[in-house]
Amino acid sequence: MFSLEQENSSKPVKYGELIVLGCNGSLPGGDRGRRRSRFSLFKRPTANGVKPSTTHTCSPQAAKVISKNSQHSVSYTLSWSEMVVVEYTDDNETDMFQIGRSTETPIDIVVTETAGGRHGNGPMRPLQSTVSRFACRIVCDRTPPYTARVYAAGFDCSRNIFLGEKAAKWRTFDCQMDGLTTNGVLLMQPARGSKPAVWREISVCGNVFTLRDTTSPQDRGKQVKDESPVLLDGSLIDLCGVTLLWRSVEGLSRSPTAGHLEALRLRLNAARPQCPVLLSTLAFPSLDGPRPRRPWAYLTCGHVHGYHQWQGRGIPYKQQSSAETEKRETEREGGRDRGEREIQREAESGGEKEEQMEGIENEAVKGEREEKTVKRGREGGRDRGERGGQTERSIEEEAEAVRGERECPLCRSRGPYVPLTLGRVSDVYVDAESPSHAFVPCGHVCSERTAEHWSKTPLKRGTNVFHPACPFCLGQLKRDRPYVRLIFQGPLD
C-alpha cells in the first residue's frame, strides 16, 4: 500500500516521472521549457481531469456546433452524413497531462523523435515527424495510491479529439464509441513472474488491444479484457517515433540517483585503468570537466584500450587520415628510403661522405626527439597525436576514422573498436552496481543486470518491427551478442 507521507507533507505530491529513451540525459539542443528528456508529474493545484458524460449522434453540421462549446469532446466520423460526439465533463478527482509534438498550450509535455543515429553516436531527428501533434494523455488519480492511466489521443486547442472517417472506430457492447489513432499509442507493461512483457495498443477510451495485423488504419486487434492501461513502474509508452519510460515514486526510491552514478564514475577512474598499448591512464570524462583520455574497447573480446592506431595483422586496415598527415608520412617514408639507399651505396663502394652519414644520424636524433616529445605529452595528460605525427581529433572524428573491424592487440580477435560512454540516465538502471558491461555496437556502459534487462526488451523500430535497443541512444543491438563484459587493465605501478 502506498504511504501517506506525500499527502501529509508540505511538498507537492509527485505522481511519477516520464523519461525519454535515447537521449542519455539531455536532448541534442538541451532541455528547455516543455521540451525535455525527463518530466516529473506533480499534483496540480486544481484538478483538470475530464470524464465522458453525454453522447450525441448527429450530422456533421450539428457536430461542429456541439464541439465548439467550452466542454471537452471526442468526435467520431461514421460517414459523410453521420457523426457521434461524446461530451466530457469535469472530473475533480483526476489530473490530466497531455503529450504530443505540438507546442500549443494544451500540450504539457512536448516530445520529438529520438531515433538513434549511426553507430549509436546520438539522437537524430528524421526529416518528417511521425509523432502525433496530440499523441496521448495521462490521467492520474488525485488520491492515494495516485494511479496513473494512459489514453490514446489528446485534446486540441478547441478541446476536441477528432477521429476521421478512415480511423479505426467502433461501437462497444454498451453502445458507447471507441477508436484508435492513426499512428497508434502502444504500451508494454513490465514482465511479472511467468507473464512475459508484450506490446499492446491503447484506445481513446483506455481499452487494451493486441497489435494490429496490418497497416490498414481501420483494422484493430483483439481486445485484452484482463489488462488495463494503468501505468506500472517500468512501463514503456511508444508514440510512433519516441519511447517513454514511466517510473513510479516508489520505484524511483529504489533506483540509483545521478549522484550515485557520478560516485561510480569516480570509483572507476580512481582505479586508474591503463591502455596496454600506449601505457597511458584512461578516465571516463564528466559532463562539465576536462576531457581526459577516454576508454575505447574492442567489442568482440571486451578489452579496454585508449585510442590508438594499431591495425593488427591479417586483413589490411585503411587508415583515414588528413591530407597533411598523409603528406608528412610520405615525406618521412621518403627520407627513410633515401637513408637506406645511402647506406646500401656506402656498403657497395666501401664508404660514403661523412656529411651524408651525419645527415642520417641527425635524422635518427630528430626522430628520437619527436618520440620523447610525444611521450612527455602523454604523461602530462594531453591528448596528442600518435608517433606518426597524427593531429588531435575529436571523439567523432576518431570514431569515424576507425569504422569497421580491427584486431585487438591482446587477444587478436577482430571486431568493432568504439569509444565507451557511460549511461547517465539513472532511471533506466535496474540496480546500483558498478558499470561493467557495454552495449554492442554503440559502446554505452552500464551494469550487467541493466544490460541484460534491455537486451531482452524489444523496442519499436519502424512501422511494426521490434528489436532490442540501447536505452541511452536507441541504437539497435546485435542479436547474437547484445552486450559484452569489459576487461580493464590495472595500473603498472
Side-chain angles (χ1 to χ4, degrees), residues 147-150 186-193 195-202 206 208 224 226-238 244-247 453 456-458:
T147 303
R149 298 174 179 86
V150 61
L186 306 186
L187 174 67
M188 187 175 74
Q189 304 286 20
R192 289 291 186 270
K195 189 175 182 180
V198 294
W199 284 100
R200 305 296 192 191
E201 186 166 7
I202 306 300
V208 182
V224 186
D226 60 342
E227 296 183 14
S228 69
V230 174
L231 296 178
L232 306 176
D233 183 52
S235 296
L236 293 174
I237 305 173
D238 183 88
L244 305 176
L245 171 66
W246 171 261
R247 295 303 308 270
H453 169 78
K456 298 179 180 179
T457 304

Side-chain angles (χ1 to χ4, degrees), residues 284 295-304 416 418-423 429 434-452 455 470-472 477-478 481-488:
F284 286 98
W296 285 57
Y298 291 88
L299 298 184
T300 300
C301 56
H303 285 116
V304 179
V418 300
L420 299 179
T421 304
L422 280 177
Y429 281 73
S434 178
S436 58
H437 288 65
F439 287 109
V440 180
C442 61
H444 281 98
V445 182
C446 61
S447 65
E448 181 179 7
R449 286 186 56 194
T450 302
E452 181 182 6
S455 65
C470 170
F472 305 108
L477 304 180
K478 293 189 65 176
R481 197 179 190 187
Y483 59 92
V484 63
R485 184 177 70 88
L486 298 176
I487 304 175
F488 291 89

Side-chain angles (χ1 to χ4, degrees), residues 50 70 74 78 115 131 149 178 221 260 333 349 364 409 414 476:
V50 293
S70 59
V74 180
L78 302 182
V131 179
R149 298 174 179 86
D178 199 358
H260 182 77
E333 291 177 359
S349 61
R414 297 192 66 87
Q476 183 175 335

